[in-house]
């Protein structure tokens, strides 16, 4: 007889649902000869399952090979056997439960098989089963704390051991993280349907069970998911069903976009799942853009293009090759146009070429990048990789024509840092130009040569042009000055230049509060801007020159970074621009505490808070900002810091879609308004959040852009940036 509610002491053994030892203990404590159902018992499953499998008795069912992974002590298999489906193979990694089930069924059901086996690493040949019937197995693997690794490994095995045209039937509670994995892993080349398992209205469970069916179809096609959930109110928990309906609606929008447009930017996982067909086969002329890199498997993500040579000949030198393009050369015709890219494919003499574009975070093309890319491109290799030669890495020059290192230093906080002057190839579009631009860069070594800041160097005008009125008196002093300064000392930082496009986007996003900025400028009131993260100081220096009516406070954790900013990048402080050395989160917390003690009129001051700080821990999937800056405790503090309005700005760099979605979800929960400005050339995304609409240009952002343009003392292409601004909430 099935037991539906196990004793608390027994359930307490299952702290970790992925642990073999815990399950052995669980089944040992339950004893032998008993069955256990977590959810969806046979009377409710019988009709939909037999309808799916074909309720025609032994003659029809005998030929179907059915696999039940993570079978446990459920009666599901024996009920299928008794209904005429005798070719059932049950697997579980608990020896205790397999031994018990074998004893119970060996004589009564001799054709049914039982195996001790890990369902994430099954010892079956490819294409062994017509039907794979999962009842809670995937749910058990997908504990939120464990992530998706085991779930993906299991689903890969499901696809491997399933016959062509076979069915994967997943009985699940369809929690959001489980459903998200199923929807993405079976997005391409599968016909997918979902229905609720009925129960009597008097016994509606708080845990509604759903049956998700995946049937292998045409590779590369993203089919719309079929669902009858909106007609299930009479017999299922509609609170859960409505959440699933919303998820399916969002997924179908995604699938329709894949089907209707060739310009959708795919992920590496999309390609592995068959979004553009079989990767093992060369398709002449195939060209697709995608993001190369996944959380927990790579340091970075890279924009990339897969190109299969238009003409397949026997003269190829390589079956597959990788061509790396540094950021400094990404806009050259040869690399940014499809025509130029086909020229590169032809020159490389590769049947398939993976063109990888580096961004502003990579100072040089080094072995760290090669090591990072090597495992990623392996899955993109056509044919049988074991029989092919290793994939060669080719590269354009790093774009640096001249390099002069000014200082190398190691900080206990930031690690190795380099300050260098560089001249890029074709910086002015003319390789022979005498006026080639020189840039000064601050590089963080902890992240494979992260270019943290880049500034433009300009020359001071000759001294005889500065003071033409005193030519006779200047001759002697000029010689002294030139002798003392030398040619290199005539270079200085141009603080009217922004080296990072995301900094321009941050300023353009201030269009959201342009009316408040304009009112402050007219009244003589000061607007407070707090920037967490100094870097080389180029951004706050630009802000000071661009918006002279703002007071800027910068918080920097590393004193050595501040020293380098002053020594090499012309950073200076005054009454308008101050630097505080210390932890950014503590500074904001202390500011909030101080605000709480002042009167109301002072507390209503308009504020802007900007996070422009990178993370030293890339394992979280966040490159910028550090993870604790986008967790609920700090977001709530940031909201209080802004008081009744203002703007919270985040430079977000994440190589993980799920991490990005988590950050956005948290911001939506805390802030009333949220906007996004996605940069086309970089991975950076700038997020703008506000606790209220008090200071926002909600109705006419274009008008706000015009107002901001009038306020700026240094030109910024606000109109172009603001067109990319999207409202998220």
């Amino acid at each position: 007889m099935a037991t539906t509610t196990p004793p608390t002491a027994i359930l307490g053994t299952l702290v970790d649902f992925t642990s073999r030892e815990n399950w052995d203990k669980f089944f040992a404590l339950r004893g032998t000869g008993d069955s256990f159902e977590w959810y969806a018992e046979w009377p409710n499953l019988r009709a939909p399952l037999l309808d799916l499998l074909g309720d025609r008795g032994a003659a029809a069912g005998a030929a179907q090979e059915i696999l039940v992974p993570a079978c446990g002590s459920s009666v599901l298999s024996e009920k299928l056997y008794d209904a005429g489906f005798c070719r059932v193979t049950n697997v579980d990694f608990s020896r205790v439960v397999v031994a018990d089930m074998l004893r119970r069924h060996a004589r009564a059901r001799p054709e049914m098989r039982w195996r001790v086996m890990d369902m994430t690493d099954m010892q079956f040949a490819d294409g062994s089963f017509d039907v794979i019937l999962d009842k809670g197995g995937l749910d058990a693997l997908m504990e939120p704390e464990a992530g998706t690794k085991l779930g993906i490994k299991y689903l890969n095995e499901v696809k491997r051991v399933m016959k062509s045209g076979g069915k994967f039937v997943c009985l699940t509670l369809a929690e959001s993280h489980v459903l998200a994995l199923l929807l993405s892993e079976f997005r391409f080349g599968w016909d997918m349907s979902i229905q609720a398992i009925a129960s009597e209205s008097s016994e509606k469970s708080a845990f509604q069970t759903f049956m998700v069916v995946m049937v292998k179809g045409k590779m590369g096609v993203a089919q719309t998911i079929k669902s009858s959930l909106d007609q299930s109110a009479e017999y299922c928990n509609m609170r859960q069903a409505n959440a699933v309906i919303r998820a399916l609606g969002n997924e179908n929008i995604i699938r329709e976009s894949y089907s209707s447009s060739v310009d959708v930017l795919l992920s590496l996982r999309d390609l592995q799942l068959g979004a553009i067909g079989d990767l093992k086969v060369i398709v002449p002329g195939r060209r697709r853009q995608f993001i190369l890199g996944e959380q927990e498997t790579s340091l970075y993500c890279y924009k990339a293009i897969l190109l299969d040579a238009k003409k397949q000949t026997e003269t190829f030198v390589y079956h597959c090759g990788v061509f790396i393009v540094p950021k400094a050369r990404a806009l050259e015709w040869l690399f940014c146009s499809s025509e130029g890219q086909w020229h590169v494919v032809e020159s490389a003499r590769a049947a398939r070429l993976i063109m990888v574009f580096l961004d502003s975070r990579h100072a040089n093309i080094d072995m760290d990048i090669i090591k990072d890319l090597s495992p990623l491109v392996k899955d993109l290799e056509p044919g049988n990789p074991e029989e092919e030669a290793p994939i060669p890495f080719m590269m354009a020059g790093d774009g640096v024509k001249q390099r002069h290192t000014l200082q190398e230093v190691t900080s206990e906080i930031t690690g190795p840092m380099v300050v260098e002057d560089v001249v890029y190839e074709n910086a002015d579009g003319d390789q022979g130009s005498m006026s080639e631009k020189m840039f000064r860069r601050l590089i963080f070594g902890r992240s494979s040569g992260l270019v943290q800041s880049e500034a433009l160097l300009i020359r001071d005008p000759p001294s005889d042009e500065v003071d033409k009125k005193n030519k006779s008196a200047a001759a002697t002093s000029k010689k002294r000055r030139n002798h003392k300064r030398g040619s290199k000392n005539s270079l200085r930082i141009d603080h009217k230049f922004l080296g990072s496009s995301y900094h321009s986007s941050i300023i353009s996003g201030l269009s959201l509060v342009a009316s408040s900025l304009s009112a402050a400028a007219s009244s003589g009131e000061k607007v407070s801007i707090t920037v967490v993260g100094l870097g080389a100081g180029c951004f706050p220096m630009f802000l000071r020159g661009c918006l002279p009516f703002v007071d800027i406070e910068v918080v920097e954790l590393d004193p050595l970074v501040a020293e380098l900013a002053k020594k090499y990048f012309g950073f200076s402080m005054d009454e308008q621009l101050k630097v505080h050395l210390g932890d950014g989160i503590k500074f904001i917390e202390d500011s909030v505490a101080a605000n709480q003690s002042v009167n109301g009129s002072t507390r209503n001051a308009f504020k802007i808070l900007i996070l422009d700080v990178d993370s030293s821990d890339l394992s979280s999937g966040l490159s910028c900002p550090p993870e604790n800056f986008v967790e609920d405790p700090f977001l709530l503090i940031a909201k209080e810091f802004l008081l009744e309005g203002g703007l919270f700005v985040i430079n977000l760099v994440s190589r993980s879609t799920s991490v990005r979605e988590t950050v956005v979800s948290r911001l939506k929960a805390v802030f009333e308004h949220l906007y996004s400005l996605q940069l086309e050339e970089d991975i950076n995304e700038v997020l703008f959040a506000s606790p209220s609409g008090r200071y926002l240009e909600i109705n006419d952002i274009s008008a706000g852009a015009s107002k901001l343009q009038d306020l700026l003392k240094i030109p910024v292409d606000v109109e172009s940036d603001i067109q990319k601004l999207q409202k998220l909430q």
Side-chain angles (χ1 to χ4, degrees), residues 543-558:
L543 269 179
R544 179 172 66 181
C546 194
L547 297 169
F549 57 89
V550 301
D551 280 337
I552 305 166
E553 291 186 293
V554 184
V555 189
E556 173 55 49
L557 182 63
D558 193 340

Side-chain angles (χ1 to χ4, degrees), residues 104-384:
R104 289 162 56 182
H105 298 292
R107 290 186 179 180
R109 300 172 180 86
E111 293 183 60
M112 191 152 59
R113 288 160 293 183
W114 303 87
R115 298 282 299 275
V116 177
M117 193 179 294
D118 182 350
M119 67 184 188
T120 68
D121 185 20
M122 293 187 276
Q123 282 76 59
F124 296 118
D126 295 359
S128 296
F129 297 96
D130 300 284
V131 178
I132 298 176
L133 179 52
D134 178 315
K135 183 170 180 284
L138 180 63
D139 286 2
L141 285 180
M142 290 286 291
E143 289 194 86
E145 299 79 9
T148 61
K149 186 176 181 180
L150 285 175
I152 291 174
K153 190 177 179 184
Y154 164 55
L155 295 181
N156 285 340
E157 282 291 271
V158 166
K159 296 171 188 177
R160 182 184 66 79
V161 302
M162 187 187 299
K163 292 180 181 179
S164 177
K167 298 173 183 176
F168 175 43
V169 183
C170 185
L171 296 164
T172 172
L173 298 179
E175 293 179 280
S176 58
H177 61 292
V178 177
L179 185 60
L181 184 68
L182 278 173
L183 296 179
S184 61
E185 289 294 299
F186 292 91
R187 181 172 288 157
F188 303 103
W190 296 82
D191 293 323
M192 195 170 188
S193 62
I194 183 167
Q195 68 182 81
I197 297 300
S199 58
E200 299 297 329
S201 58
S202 60
E203 58 181 44
K204 281 186 183 178
S205 171
F207 301 104
Q208 174 65 50
T209 306
F210 299 87
M211 183 168 77
V212 188
V213 181
M214 282 71 61
V215 182
K216 194 163 184 60
K218 184 179 179 182
M219 184 172 287
V221 177
Q223 299 281 9
T224 300
I225 303 167
K226 303 178 185 68
S227 166
S228 59
L229 296 182
D230 56 352
Q231 304 168 15
S232 307
E234 294 183 6
Y235 56 80
C236 84
N237 183 326
M238 286 307 295
R239 182 183 62 81
Q240 281 180 267
N242 285 332
V244 174
I245 290 170
R246 287 192 295 271
L248 296 184
N250 293 334
E251 175 65 17
N252 278 334
I253 291 172
I254 293 172
R255 294 185 177 212
E256 288 168 8
S257 70
Y258 283 125
S259 301
S260 63
S261 173
V262 296
D263 296 326
V264 175
L265 193 61
L266 301 168
S267 69
L268 173 61
R269 188 61 184 158
D270 289 335
L271 266 61
Q272 292 169 334
L273 292 172
I276 62 173
D278 190 349
L279 290 176
K280 298 302 179 186
V281 178
I282 295 284
V283 179
R286 177 164 57 181
R287 176 185 177 275
R288 281 307 297 260
Q289 297 184 61
F290 66 102
I291 295 294
L292 183 61
E294 299 287 343
Q295 187 180 4
E296 299 178 354
T297 62
S298 59
L299 289 172
Y300 299 109
C301 61
Y302 309 83
K303 288 193 175 180
I305 300 176
L306 180 146
L307 300 116
D308 284 349
K310 291 182 176 180
K311 295 180 180 180
Q312 295 295 312
T313 70
E314 297 180 358
T315 60
F316 289 121
V317 176
Y318 309 111
H319 74 293
C320 183
V322 177
F323 193 94
I324 302 174
V325 182
K327 183 186 178 185
R329 303 194 63 186
L331 297 180
E332 294 179 21
W333 173 86
L334 194 62
F335 306 118
C336 72
S337 70
S338 60
E339 186 179 355
Q341 291 162 4
W342 288 119
H343 277 286
V344 176
V345 174
E346 189 175 343
S347 300
R349 299 180 70 183
R352 172 173 293 168
L353 192 68
I354 312 297
M355 192 172 286
V356 178
F357 295 83
L358 304 186
D359 58 36
S360 57
R361 296 168 298 163
H362 305 105
N364 304 300
I365 300 174
D366 54 23
M367 284 307 299
D368 283 339
I369 292 175
I370 304 298
K371 290 177 183 177
D372 195 33
L373 286 170
S374 293
L376 298 177
V377 299
K378 200 67 181 171
D379 286 338
L380 302 174
E381 196 173 2
N384 186 353

Side-chain angles (χ1 to χ4, degrees), residues 24 27 31-33 71-72 90 92-106 114-116:
D24 279 343
F27 287 118
T32 60
C71 59
N90 303 276
D92 201 293
F93 66 178
S94 170
R95 292 182 179 276
V96 174
V97 76
V98 170
D100 180 41
M101 297 296 277
L102 189 59
R103 281 194 297 269
R104 289 162 56 182
H105 298 292
W114 303 87
R115 298 282 299 275
V116 177

Side-chain angles (χ1 to χ4, degrees), residues 309-591:
K310 291 182 176 180
K311 295 180 180 180
Q312 295 295 312
T313 70
E314 297 180 358
T315 60
F316 289 121
V317 176
Y318 309 111
H319 74 293
C320 183
V322 177
F323 193 94
I324 302 174
V325 182
K327 183 186 178 185
R329 303 194 63 186
L331 297 180
E332 294 179 21
W333 173 86
L334 194 62
F335 306 118
C336 72
S337 70
S338 60
E339 186 179 355
Q341 291 162 4
W342 288 119
H343 277 286
V344 176
V345 174
E346 189 175 343
S347 300
R349 299 180 70 183
R352 172 173 293 168
L353 192 68
I354 312 297
M355 192 172 286
V356 178
F357 295 83
L358 304 186
D359 58 36
S360 57
R361 296 168 298 163
H362 305 105
N364 304 300
I365 300 174
D366 54 23
M367 284 307 299
D368 283 339
I369 292 175
I370 304 298
K371 290 177 183 177
D372 195 33
L373 286 170
S374 293
L376 298 177
V377 299
K378 200 67 181 171
D379 286 338
L380 302 174
E381 196 173 2
N384 186 353
E386 295 180 1
E387 299 175 359
E388 303 286 359
I391 298 176
F393 282 77
M394 300 162 271
M395 59 194 72
D398 65 1
V400 175
K401 185 178 181 181
Q402 298 175 21
R403 177 181 281 109
H404 174 62
T405 301
L406 301 177
Q407 185 171 351
E408 296 183 54
V409 64
T410 299
S411 160
E412 292 182 359
I413 297 174
T414 305
M417 293 183 284
V418 177
V419 179
E420 64 180 15
D421 288 347
V422 299
V423 174
Y424 293 114
E425 294 175 352
N426 301 318
D428 290 312
D430 179 5
Q431 193 165 356
S433 172
M434 294 299 293
S435 59
E436 290 173 322
K437 293 178 181 177
M438 181 175 289
F439 297 87
R440 182 159 294 169
R441 312 196 301 187
L442 174 61
I443 296 170
F444 285 179
R446 69 188 179 195
S447 304
S448 293
L450 169 73
V451 180
Q452 205 284 334
S453 299
E454 183 173 77
L456 176 65
L457 289 166
I458 57 175
R459 294 188 182 277
D460 284 322
S463 56
D464 56 349
E465 292 183 14
V466 175
D467 190 5
K468 292 182 178 179
K469 295 180 180 179
N470 270 323
K471 291 183 179 179
S472 58
T476 304
S477 60
K478 178 182 176 184
K479 289 180 180 178
R480 288 200 195 101
R481 282 197 301 274
N482 287 342
H483 177 72
K484 182 179 179 180
R485 296 191 321 182
S487 60
K488 286 184 180 177
N489 288 337
S490 64
L491 292 172
R492 64 179 175 84
I493 301 296
D494 181 4
H495 289 297
K496 295 182 179 180
F497 170 83
L498 279 180
S500 298
S501 55
Y502 77 86
H503 279 150
S504 299
S505 298
I506 289 175
I507 291 175
S508 296
L510 299 183
S511 299
L512 290 164
V513 291
S515 291
S516 299
L517 293 175
S518 180
S522 300
S523 65
E525 294 181 8
K526 289 289 187 180
V527 173
S528 170
I529 297 183
T530 302
V531 181
V532 180
L534 174 65
C538 301
F539 179 57
M541 290 288 284
F542 185 92
L543 269 179
R544 179 172 66 181
C546 194
L547 297 169
F549 57 89
V550 301
D551 280 337
I552 305 166
E553 291 186 293
V554 184
V555 189
E556 173 55 49
L557 182 63
D558 193 340
L560 189 52
V561 169
E563 286 182 28
L564 294 176
K566 295 175 185 176
K567 183 176 180 180
Y568 293 106
F569 292 88
F571 179 75
S572 62
M573 294 180 286
D574 55 21
E575 287 301 313
Q576 185 189 353
L577 174 55
K578 298 181 176 66
V579 171
H580 303 271
L581 295 175
D583 179 78
I585 292 179
K586 188 176 187 307
F587 178 86
I588 302 300
E589 289 174 342
D590 291 346
S591 297

Side-chain angles (χ1 to χ4, degrees), residues 20-32:
R20 185 194 307 262
E21 291 75 17
N22 285 352
W23 281 108
D24 279 343
K25 183 182 291 186
F26 172 82
F27 287 118
L29 287 173
R30 285 192 61 82
T32 60

